PDB file of all heavy atoms in Angstrom:
ATOM      1  N   ALA A  66     -13.536  36.088  -7.022  1.00 98.00           N
ATOM      2  CA  ALA A  66     -12.805  34.849  -6.790  1.00 98.00           C
ATOM      3  C   ALA A  66     -13.709  33.689  -7.133  1.00 98.00           C
ATOM      4  O   ALA A  66     -13.186  32.703  -7.775  1.00 98.00           O
ATOM      5  CB  ALA A  66     -12.370  34.780  -5.319  1.00 98.00           C
ATOM      6  N   GLN A  67     -14.997  33.741  -6.840  1.00 98.00           N
ATOM      7  CA  GLN A  67     -15.864  32.630  -7.168  1.00 98.00           C
ATOM      8  C   GLN A  67     -15.938  32.399  -8.665  1.00 98.00           C
ATOM      9  O   GLN A  67     -15.819  31.301  -9.141  1.00 98.00           O
ATOM     10  CB  GLN A  67     -17.311  32.952  -6.547  1.00 98.00           C
ATOM     11  CG  GLN A  67     -18.282  31.781  -6.791  1.00 98.00           C
ATOM     12  CD  GLN A  67     -19.669  32.150  -6.305  1.00 98.00           C
ATOM     13  OE1 GLN A  67     -20.027  33.304  -6.057  1.00 98.00           O
ATOM     14  NE2 GLN A  67     -20.492  31.096  -6.205  1.00 98.00           N
ATOM     15  N   THR A  68     -16.077  33.514  -9.392  1.00 98.00           N
ATOM     16  CA  THR A  68     -16.139  33.389 -10.821  1.00 98.00           C
ATOM     17  C   THR A  68     -14.896  32.760 -11.419  1.00 98.00           C
ATOM     18  O   THR A  68     -14.839  31.861 -12.226  1.00 98.00           O
ATOM     19  CB  THR A  68     -16.340  34.837 -11.453  1.00 98.00           C
ATOM     20  OG1 THR A  68     -17.454  35.400 -10.793  1.00 98.00           O
ATOM     21  CG2 THR A  68     -16.552  34.688 -12.951  1.00 98.00           C
ATOM     22  N   GLU A  69     -13.695  33.279 -10.913  1.00 98.00           N
ATOM     23  CA  GLU A  69     -12.478  32.798 -11.435  1.00 98.00           C
ATOM     24  C   GLU A  69     -12.187  31.347 -11.114  1.00 98.00           C
ATOM     25  O   GLU A  69     -11.769  30.582 -11.990  1.00 98.00           O
ATOM     26  CB  GLU A  69     -11.355  33.703 -10.875  1.00 98.00           C
ATOM     27  CG  GLU A  69      -9.942  33.462 -11.460  1.00 98.00           C
ATOM     28  CD  GLU A  69      -8.905  34.256 -10.715  1.00 98.00           C
ATOM     29  OE1 GLU A  69      -9.165  35.460 -10.430  1.00 98.00           O
ATOM     30  OE2 GLU A  69      -7.927  33.629 -10.383  1.00 98.00           O
ATOM     31  N   LEU A  70     -12.486  30.971  -9.877  1.00 98.00           N
ATOM     32  CA  LEU A  70     -12.194  29.590  -9.446  1.00 98.00           C
ATOM     33  C   LEU A  70     -13.183  28.641 -10.154  1.00 98.00           C
ATOM     34  O   LEU A  70     -12.834  27.523 -10.567  1.00 98.00           O
ATOM     35  CB  LEU A  70     -12.366  29.464  -7.946  1.00 98.00           C
ATOM     36  CG  LEU A  70     -11.302  30.166  -7.172  1.00 98.00           C
ATOM     37  CD1 LEU A  70     -11.560  30.050  -5.602  1.00 98.00           C
ATOM     38  CD2 LEU A  70      -9.891  29.588  -7.439  1.00 98.00           C
ATOM     39  N   ARG A  71     -14.412  29.071 -10.410  1.00 98.00           N
ATOM     40  CA  ARG A  71     -15.368  28.218 -11.083  1.00 98.00           C
ATOM     41  C   ARG A  71     -14.920  28.047 -12.511  1.00 98.00           C
ATOM     42  O   ARG A  71     -14.900  26.899 -12.963  1.00 98.00           O
ATOM     43  CB  ARG A  71     -16.758  28.950 -11.090  1.00 98.00           C
ATOM     44  CG  ARG A  71     -17.880  28.219 -11.779  1.00 98.00           C
ATOM     45  CD  ARG A  71     -19.198  28.860 -11.550  1.00 98.00           C
ATOM     46  NE  ARG A  71     -20.257  27.898 -11.812  1.00 98.00           N
ATOM     47  CZ  ARG A  71     -20.724  27.653 -13.046  1.00 98.00           C
ATOM     48  NH1 ARG A  71     -20.315  28.362 -14.072  1.00 98.00           N
ATOM     49  NH2 ARG A  71     -21.668  26.754 -13.171  1.00 98.00           N
ATOM     50  N   ARG A  72     -14.425  29.102 -13.173  1.00 98.00           N
ATOM     51  CA  ARG A  72     -13.980  28.952 -14.522  1.00 98.00           C
ATOM     52  C   ARG A  72     -12.811  27.985 -14.623  1.00 98.00           C
ATOM     53  O   ARG A  72     -12.755  27.129 -15.455  1.00 98.00           O
ATOM     54  CB  ARG A  72     -13.589  30.329 -15.094  1.00 98.00           C
ATOM     55  CG  ARG A  72     -13.326  30.278 -16.594  1.00 98.00           C
ATOM     56  CD  ARG A  72     -12.931  31.626 -17.183  1.00 98.00           C
ATOM     57  NE  ARG A  72     -13.374  32.849 -16.637  1.00 98.00           N
ATOM     58  CZ  ARG A  72     -12.604  33.780 -16.014  1.00 98.00           C
ATOM     59  NH1 ARG A  72     -11.291  33.543 -15.885  1.00 98.00           N
ATOM     60  NH2 ARG A  72     -13.112  34.857 -15.501  1.00 98.00           N
ATOM     61  N   ARG A  73     -11.874  28.202 -13.714  1.00 98.00           N
ATOM     62  CA  ARG A  73     -10.656  27.382 -13.751  1.00 98.00           C
ATOM     63  C   ARG A  73     -10.978  25.924 -13.573  1.00 98.00           C
ATOM     64  O   ARG A  73     -10.454  25.003 -14.262  1.00 98.00           O
ATOM     65  CB  ARG A  73      -9.685  27.855 -12.682  1.00 98.00           C
ATOM     66  CG  ARG A  73      -8.415  27.110 -12.646  1.00 98.00           C
ATOM     67  CD  ARG A  73      -7.257  27.961 -12.085  1.00 98.00           C
ATOM     68  NE  ARG A  73      -6.136  27.087 -11.916  1.00 98.00           N
ATOM     69  CZ  ARG A  73      -5.158  27.283 -10.955  1.00 98.00           C
ATOM     70  NH1 ARG A  73      -5.279  28.389 -10.232  1.00 98.00           N
ATOM     71  NH2 ARG A  73      -4.181  26.486 -10.887  1.00 98.00           N
TER      72      ARG A  73
END
Side-chain angles (χ1 to χ4, degrees):
Q67 184 182 15
T68 309
E69 186 186 315
L70 294 174
R71 181 170 199 273
R72 190 184 325 117
R73 182 156 171 206

